[in-house]
Amino acid sequence: AIAGGRVSRGLDFAFFPRYQTPVLLGWAAFMVLNAPLLWSFFQTHRRIFLAGGAALLLPLVIHQTKARQDDDEDLAVRRTAGLAMAMNVMDEERPSRVYELNDSKKYADAFKMVNRADKLGISIFSRYPLRALRHGLKKPSSADIPASPCAVTLEQTTPVTSDNKFVRVSGWVIEKDSKRVPQVIRFLDRDGLVVGYALSGRVRPELAAVFGEKNPKAGFEGYIYENAPSEAAARCDAPKY
């Protein structure tokens, strides 16, 4: 069913290398079609069968142990990619590392998918924080969202070459009292209107002394309007990390 749903978006989408469904289907078909032969071989050459099975399974088990390891950098990139899609930022670098967006048509299709998910109330784009971010730009910062007294250090601004309305910003943030990390940073202009957002979660081990922990997820990345960086003030949601 999953593979069939992807086929509706094209064969290249259904068989994209990051998806393991076609591989699993192929192995399942092989096992079913060759079940009598495999059972016969098992009965006559049990030791060889078990040794071969172990040789096949061992690399899989070793590879699966990687799934138990934290991959905070990859998760941070995915958060930024989701943020770009939620804000309608056509950033060729971040979203393309998650979803193959190599032409304007695929970007348009992706944005349509995000808009539909928002309307139907499904996927990450219908939940906090991305749903709120989609509808907050150029509006006053929502008063019903608890703010925390945070210190934001803006370290870098990078032009988004594929969308000159925005720049990508990065730095680190800390909640002053608790030494924890707010999840969302909202950038406001002089009139108190939201001109950009950033999400924290990037590991910054060099800030261990500031936070009193080994790998604080204090780094953030996000987007603000191109003409806003020099005057944008920051407001943070209640701490999370």
Side-chain angles (χ1 to χ4, degrees):
I2 296 174
R6 296 192 186 117
V7 168
S8 66
R9 299 181 59 84
L11 290 176
D12 58 333
F13 185 85
F15 291 99
F16 195 71
R18 72 168 180 266
Y19 296 128
Q20 297 301 308
T21 310
V23 178
L24 293 174
L25 287 174
W27 276 106
F30 173 82
M31 297 297 289
V32 171
L33 293 174
N34 293 279
L37 179 62
L38 292 172
W39 177 248
S40 176
F41 186 84
F42 173 74
Q43 289 181 318
T44 56
H45 303 84
R46 182 168 300 187
R47 290 184 178 179
I48 297 176
F49 185 91
L50 293 176
L56 288 173
L57 289 176
L58 183 59
L60 296 177
V61 172
I62 294 174
H63 186 71
Q64 285 299 311
T65 58
K66 296 180 180 179
R68 299 177 61 87
Q69 301 174 3
D70 291 334
D71 195 355
D72 295 305
E73 181 62 25
D74 181 64
L75 291 175
V77 170
R78 290 174 179 272
R79 274 191 291 269
T80 304
L83 178 63
M85 300 303 295
M87 294 176 62
N88 289 325
V89 179
M90 192 175 291
D91 185 354
E92 291 183 350
E93 183 175 341
R94 292 297 186 266
S96 294
R97 291 175 63 178
V98 180
Y99 182 78
E100 189 176 6
L101 302 173
N102 50 19
D103 58 53
S104 57
K105 182 180 184 302
K106 288 188 176 182
Y107 260 106
D109 290 343
F111 283 127
K112 288 179 181 178
M113 179 177 64
V114 172
N115 291 330
R116 181 172 174 79
D118 180 30
K119 291 179 181 179
L120 295 176
I122 58 177
S123 87
I124 61 172
F125 297 102
S126 67
R127 298 192 294 270
Y128 177 87
L130 294 186
R131 181 176 175 81
L133 307 191
R134 284 180 57 75
H135 305 288
L137 283 173
K138 296 185 179 180
K139 296 179 181 179
S141 183
S142 178
D144 60 353
I145 298 175
S148 62
C150 62
V152 174
T153 301
L154 186 62
E155 296 176 322
Q156 186 176 16
T157 61
T158 306
V160 180
T161 56
S162 50
D163 192 338
N164 58 16
K165 299 189 300 297
F166 292 92
V167 295
R168 192 186 312 118
V169 296
S170 60
W172 62 279
V173 59
I174 184 173
E175 203 274 351
K176 296 178 180 178
D177 297 330
S178 67
K179 302 296 183 182
R180 294 176 62 196
V181 180
Q183 182 181 6
V184 180
I185 302 98
R186 302 162 191 271
F187 296 98
L188 312 178
D189 65 10
R190 295 172 182 172
D191 299 321
L193 301 180
V194 177
V195 293
Y197 293 102
L199 299 179
S200 62
R202 304 185 81 96
V203 174
R204 297 290 298 268
E206 73 277 15
L207 300 175
V210 177
F211 289 87
E213 60 180 88
K214 186 176 181 181
N215 292 309
K217 297 180 181 180
F220 68 78
E221 191 171 54
Y223 302 92
I224 55 180
Y225 284 117
E226 187 276 334
N227 58 355
S230 61
E231 59 176 294
R235 177 182 176 182
C236 302
D237 284 14
K240 178 183 180 182
Y241 299 108

